[in-house]
């Protein structure tokens, strides 16, 4: 673990873009992956989607 | 493949096979089935007078004055509130109108025929920029231009399109995407191609040499010194107006897109969106398999760039039927084709690529007619699937003009806007019943 923080950081950020923006501001290489839970995490909508599969 | 996926493939196939051709021009009450003297069409989903936004009210007021039903704003407002004038969405009459979309009984409209599936779609004449009826302005200059459009412009292009034996609008859209247009906010290429298609026939009409006639005239003295002290022919007026207005082709393009969307409507089990439209108060969608039912929610205010002297505080919520372009895979969905307008979405061509790529997440197919050269000629993302919108949590990206919130002022900017997620949730609930 200690070794990790001694190396240059290369980050893949998934989900909340704000974390990637903060790293970019500090000139840390970061690749952002857009992701959010299916159906915005709404169990009711997921059950409706299941009906329409 | 599930029955829903099969139905969506069928809907999008029908959409892409539609072949809308501009065939004629006519007076709304004479050519649009069901149109009548006291019926005023408007953009977006149904709305009553009391809930209409400033620009839509302005356009209705202007329309009533233009039709001779009222002498001034006060009379028009009284008449509009009296219940003796009927209001209905353009979409209920296979018609589409940009911004307020107000189409009055005696206005002249483009007539497009779907040569693949049959049937007709309609849209009125584009008035150009600045103070115009579709943004809710109705002063004397606006009403005079409408008169010129209906009496001179429409007569000339009607005769010209007959001589041309029709103009293939779908082909114009496909070519224009290769020339830097998105087909919604940028129409420089579509309009150039539109002019090329019709110009020789305009010159050949009986108006080609006519300089003396009893109808309103367009002042061309600001176009060139040549026209100072020199009467222009009607054909020259029409061509100069077309050249001055990059939006000349927009209304015909919208009617073509309506034709494509109509072809995809009514497919059992399909979850594809076949109408998106805004009236300045509400945003509404309709879905292929849910008939004429609208799903609506309050419209958002666009995020955009403003003309000098205006700001977001002046903006009206989203308005217009022009989002029919995104419904069939162009406009905001084809941003990657239009680097000249990337300022609306962040400022770089890579932002435009991101915008288009994101739309593949929520659509059924890559368009077989419309493609983007810079993306290795990949077909544009086409056929919005309500299920995918919900699953991914991504709503369609829409390019749009921005109207001032008060009636009588006009356009104040342009930008992008997103529809409210609630309408897709409501559609999903109905589809799952």
């Amino acid at each position: 673990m200690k070794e990790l923080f001694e190396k240059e950081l290369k980050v893949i950020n998934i989900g909340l873009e704000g974390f990637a923006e903060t790293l970019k501001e500090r000139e840390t290489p970061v690749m952002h992956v857009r992701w959010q839970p299916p159906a915005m995490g709404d169990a009711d909508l997921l059950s409706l989607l299941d009906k329409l599969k | 493949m599930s029955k829903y996926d099969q139905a969506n493939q069928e809907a999008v196939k029908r959409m892409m096979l539609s072949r809308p051709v501009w065939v004629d021009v006519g007076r709304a009450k004479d050519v649009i089935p069901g149109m009548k003297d006291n019926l005023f069409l408007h953009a977006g989903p149904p709305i009553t007078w009391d809930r209409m936004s400033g620009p839509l009210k302005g356009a209705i007021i202007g329309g009533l004055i233009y039709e001779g039903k009222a002498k001034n704003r006060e009379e028009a407002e009284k008449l509009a509130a009296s219940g003796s004038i009927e209001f209905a969405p353009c979409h209920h009459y296979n018609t589409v109108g940009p911004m307020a979309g107000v189409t009055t009984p005696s206005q002249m409209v483009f007539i497009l025929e779907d040569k693949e599936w049959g049937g007709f779609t309609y849209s009125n004449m584009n008035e150009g920029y600045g103070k115009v009826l579709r943004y809710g302005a109705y002063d004397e200059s606006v009403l005079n231009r409408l008169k010129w459009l209906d009496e001179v412009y429409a007569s000339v292009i009607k005769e010209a399109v007959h001589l041309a034996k029709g103009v293939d609008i779908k082909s114009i859209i496909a070519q224009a995407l290769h020339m830097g247009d998105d087909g919604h906010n940028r129409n420089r290429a579509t309009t150039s191609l539109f002019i090329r298609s019709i110009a020789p026939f305009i010159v050949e009409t009986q108006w080609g040499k006519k300089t003396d006639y009893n109808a309103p005239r367009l002042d061309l003295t600001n176009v060139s010194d040549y026209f100072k002290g020199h009467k222009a022919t009607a054909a020259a007026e029409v061509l100069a107006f077309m050249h001055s207005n990059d939006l000349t082709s927009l209304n015909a393009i919208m009617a073509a897109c309506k034709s494509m969307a109509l072809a995809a409507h009514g497919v059992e089990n399909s979850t594809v969106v076949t109408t998106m439209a805004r009236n300045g108060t509400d945003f509404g969608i309709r879905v292929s398999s849910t008939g004429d039912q609208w799903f609506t929610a309050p419209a958002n205010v666009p995020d955009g760039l403003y003309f000098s002297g205006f700001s977001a505080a002046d903006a009206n919520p989203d308005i217009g039927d022009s989002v029919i372009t995104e419904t069939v895979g162009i406009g905001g969905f084809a941003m990657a084709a239009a680097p000249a307008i990337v300022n609306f979405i962040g400022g770089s061509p890579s932002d435009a690529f991101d915008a288009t790529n994101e739309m593949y997440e929520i659509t059924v197919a890559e368009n077989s007619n419309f493609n983007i050269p810079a993306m290795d000629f990949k077909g544009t993302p086409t056929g919005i699937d309500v299920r995918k919108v919900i699953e991914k949590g991504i709503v369609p990206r829409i390019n749009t003009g921005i109207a001032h919130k008060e009636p009588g002022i006009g356009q104040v900017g342009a930008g992008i806007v997103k529809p409210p997620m609630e309408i897709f949730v409501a559609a999903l609930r109905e589809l799952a019943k």
Side-chain angles (χ1 to χ4, degrees):
Chain A
M1 196 72 173
K2 188 184 166 201
E3 197 183 331
L4 176 67
F5 289 104
E6 285 169 353
K7 284 182 179 172
E8 185 190 357
L9 281 178
K10 289 177 183 168
V11 182
I12 297 174
N13 182 68
I14 300 172
L16 295 175
E17 199 166 2
F19 292 135
E21 294 300 327
T22 309
L23 289 165
K24 268 186 204 167
E25 283 167 15
R26 293 173 184 275
E27 295 178 355
T28 301
V30 56
M31 178 176 282
H32 176 64
V33 178
R34 280 187 201 160
W35 184 85
Q36 59 179 334
M40 300 155 280
D42 186 319
D44 177 39
L45 295 179
L46 275 171
S47 72
L48 294 177
L49 284 174
D50 274 346
K51 283 188 184 175
L52 296 168
K53 270 189 178 163
Chain B
M1 193 185 279
S2 76
K3 64 180 181 182
Y4 302 105
D5 293 326
Q6 280 178 6
N8 287 347
Q9 291 297 331
E10 176 64 20
V12 173
K13 186 181 91 181
R14 291 187 191 185
M15 184 185 281
M16 295 191 297
L17 281 173
S18 165
R19 196 160 63 84
V21 174
W22 170 35
V23 292
D24 206 351
V25 171
R27 198 168 298 284
K29 66 182 173 189
D30 297 335
V31 298
I32 300 176
M35 191 71 185
K36 51 190 180 181
D37 266 330
N38 69 333
L39 176 61
F40 278 49
L41 305 183
H42 61 77
I47 190 165
T48 51
W49 168 255
D50 57 305
R51 292 189 67 244
M52 285 182 191
S53 65
L56 182 48
K57 278 190 169 171
I60 295 285
I61 291 166
L64 287 167
I65 297 171
Y66 181 66
E67 290 284 331
K69 293 181 185 297
K71 287 193 182 67
N72 51 43
R73 176 179 180 159
E74 291 69 31
E75 272 190 32
E77 285 179 328
K78 204 172 161 188
L79 185 59
S82 72
S84 62
I85 301 294
E86 290 179 30
F87 302 113
C90 291
H91 275 287
H92 290 185
Y93 292 83
N94 294 345
T95 300
V96 276
M99 302 314 288
V102 167
T103 305
T104 71
S106 60
Q107 267 187 324
M108 300 297 274
V109 294
F110 285 104
I111 304 171
L112 275 73
E113 182 178 9
D114 188 332
K115 297 288 187 182
E116 177 68 22
W117 303 109
F120 297 91
T121 53
Y122 313 90
S123 186
N124 56 11
M125 305 289 133
N126 196 285
E127 310 157 74
Y129 297 94
K131 273 192 175 183
V132 286
L133 189 79
R134 71 178 187 280
Y135 280 93
Y138 54 85
D139 69 13
E140 199 181 347
S141 69
V142 173
L143 300 176
N144 284 342
R145 192 188 306 107
L146 285 176
K147 205 162 186 299
W148 178 81
L149 282 168
D150 285 342
E151 290 188 22
V152 180
Y153 183 80
S155 303
V156 173
I157 65 172
K158 179 182 175 72
E159 196 182 328
V161 76
H162 289 171
L163 295 175
K165 299 193 188 311
V167 173
D168 184 342
I169 302 296
K170 185 176 173 182
S171 165
I172 285 179
I173 297 170
Q175 292 175 67
L177 293 183
H178 293 186
M179 298 163 69
D181 275 8
D182 69 320
H184 187 172
N185 260 17
R186 188 177 195 272
N187 296 283
R188 182 159 287 191
T190 49
T191 290
S192 300
L193 293 166
F194 186 82
I195 293 171
R196 276 174 59 164
S197 302
I198 200 70
F201 304 101
I202 287 175
V203 175
E204 284 294 308
T205 65
Q206 58 163 325
W207 300 79
K209 290 193 168 56
K210 203 178 271 190
T211 54
D212 285 307
Y213 49 90
N214 184 25
R217 303 303 302 252
L218 191 73
D219 180 12
L220 292 187
T221 53
N222 58 348
V223 173
S224 163
D225 285 347
Y226 172 78
F227 291 107
K228 286 179 180 157
H230 177 100
K231 265 190 184 169
T233 63
E237 286 185 12
V238 166
L239 288 166
F241 178 78
M242 284 180 155
H243 174 63
S244 72
N245 176 20
D246 278 352
L247 302 174
T248 285
S249 59
L250 176 63
N251 299 38
I253 287 168
M254 286 171 54
C257 293
K258 177 62 186 170
S259 175
M260 296 174 213
L262 208 51
H265 194 67
V267 178
E268 192 181 3
N269 294 318
S270 173
T271 58
V272 165
V273 174
T274 48
T275 307
M276 293 198 287
R278 317 87 97 194
N279 57 32
T281 302
D282 300 320
F283 196 118
I285 59 168
R286 295 190 296 184
V287 179
S288 180
S289 65
T290 56
D292 293 334
Q293 185 175 358
W294 287 92
F295 304 98
T296 65
N300 295 321
V301 174
D303 178 16
L305 300 174
Y306 289 86
F307 299 159
S308 177
F310 296 104
S311 71
D314 300 304
N316 195 75
D318 197 14
I319 185 167
D321 286 335
S322 54
V323 64
I324 194 70
T325 55
E326 280 82 4
T327 312
V328 301
I330 59 172
F333 285 40
M335 268 313 278
I341 55 168
V342 294
N343 278 345
F344 293 131
I345 55 157
S348 77
S350 66
D351 295 321
F353 278 84
D354 285 350
T356 292
N357 275 326
E358 191 178 46
M359 293 302 97
Y360 289 108
E361 299 279 323
I362 58 168
T363 45
V364 173
E366 293 174 16
N367 201 296
S368 55
N369 308 296
F370 308 138
N371 55 51
I372 301 172
M375 295 181 80
D376 294 334
F377 293 96
K378 190 175 181 179
T380 61
T382 301
I384 300 159
D385 184 346
V386 170
R387 298 174 307 167
K388 290 185 177 180
V389 171
I390 302 295
E391 185 189 348
K392 306 284 174 143
I394 297 171
V395 289
R397 282 172 171 266
I398 297 160
N399 291 350
T400 191
I402 305 173
H404 197 286
K405 61 188 178 188
E406 298 298 333
I409 297 178
Q411 184 175 6
V412 294
I416 59 162
V417 70
K418 290 185 173 182
M421 181 60 89
E422 303 98 280
I423 56 179
F424 296 95
V425 171
L428 186 79
R429 290 192 192 286
E430 182 63 27
L431 287 161
K433 272 182 185 170

